[in-house]
Amino acid sequence: MYVHVPFCASRCGYCDFNTYTPGELGTGADPESYLAALDIELRLAARRMDRDGVLRPAETVFVGGGTPSMLGADGLTRLLDGVRNHIGLGPGAEITTESNPESTSPEFFDRLRTAGFTRISLGMQSVAGNVLAVLERRHTPGRPIAAAREARAAGFEHVNLDMIYGTPTETDDDMRATLDAVLSAEVDHVSAYSLIVEDGTAMARKVNKGLLPAPDEDVLADRYQLIDHTLRGAGFDWYEVSNWARPGGECRHNIGYWRDGDWWGAGPGAHSHLGGVRFFNVKHPRTYAAACARGELPVKDSEQLSDADRHTEKLMLGLRLRDGVAEADLRPGSERVIAGYVDSGLLRWIDRGPGPRSLALTDSGRLLADGIIADILVAED
């Protein structure tokens, strides 16, 4: 299960997610109406999945946003109770919520742990004040580290810190300071994403006007290598191109996405994938709540994925994982391209003994993952 919480106190300059600040919501949309509508969607979703013979307890739940912690511990507990009551939770289910460090506290984490949450993901981005200012992040530089320690003290074994690298004005020293802070927090998972300037964002407008330089590809590569070297030297290992974990700290929910699993996405704008069908909800919280109030699933549109679509996604997502993709999942025609990348040290074959071998990116190949994957797909018959 993925549950989308569409509320933010303010909009960060680089963000193009389906989120709304209080001033953007207008009337008829607020956390209370959202939670009421969400409970209806979960009930209708369970009914639909039961009718189609695919209803089963959730193995993972991920609450994302937006800023889920704006619902407070009471709201998040109510949200999780809805999943538990309508969908069910499997034994040992992994239950994650994203949180903005500024809207958390030791009591908040204690109550989430009691409610059944098992993972916390905190938006950190950087500890450099100048970088946070360019990103238009509101939290203070040291708060994410304090929040991570509070979550650990509350009994959360699995805590993630999200970083963004390559922001204009960021220096190597800024990056090193952020990594030092991450390691001091004693978390077991780190996500690090290169800054992407998305069309329609405040940052894109600044770049287009020449007020900010665009991210530099060479700088992004250098930053990535610094992050990888530092984290691996401290006991982390990469398991997906942008994610590192200590042993046992991998995020099962996200691995489900990368392995082409099934999930139901609840909430405004949430996307779902079940049995080769992708569908997504209406975006605005007010429209979403109105549909649910009518007893209708708030689905805006759907798409039946073809075999070619599913193959493309399996390759695009699977090759980003450390374990790569099985040789049987590759199609004829790409042998020469793959051999060239193997010879140049960007791809490697993993031999698992009696089982089938897998194709995976090397450390150098991770820097060029998107291009390598595109070349393989073009070369296939």
Side-chain angles (χ1 to χ4, degrees), residues 57 343 365:
D343 289 344

Side-chain angles (χ1 to χ4, degrees), residues 225-269:
Q225 290 179 316
L226 174 60
I227 292 166
D228 185 55
H229 176 77
T230 303
L231 292 177
R232 292 172 82 173
F236 290 80
D237 201 0
W238 77 282
Y239 69 99
E240 191 273 342
V241 169
S242 299
N243 290 271
W244 292 257
R246 297 188 188 277
E250 298 84 357
C251 179
R252 287 162 43 199
H253 182 87
N254 286 340
I255 289 174
Y257 293 148
W258 296 317
R259 287 301 187 201
D260 198 30
D262 283 341
W263 74 91
W264 188 286

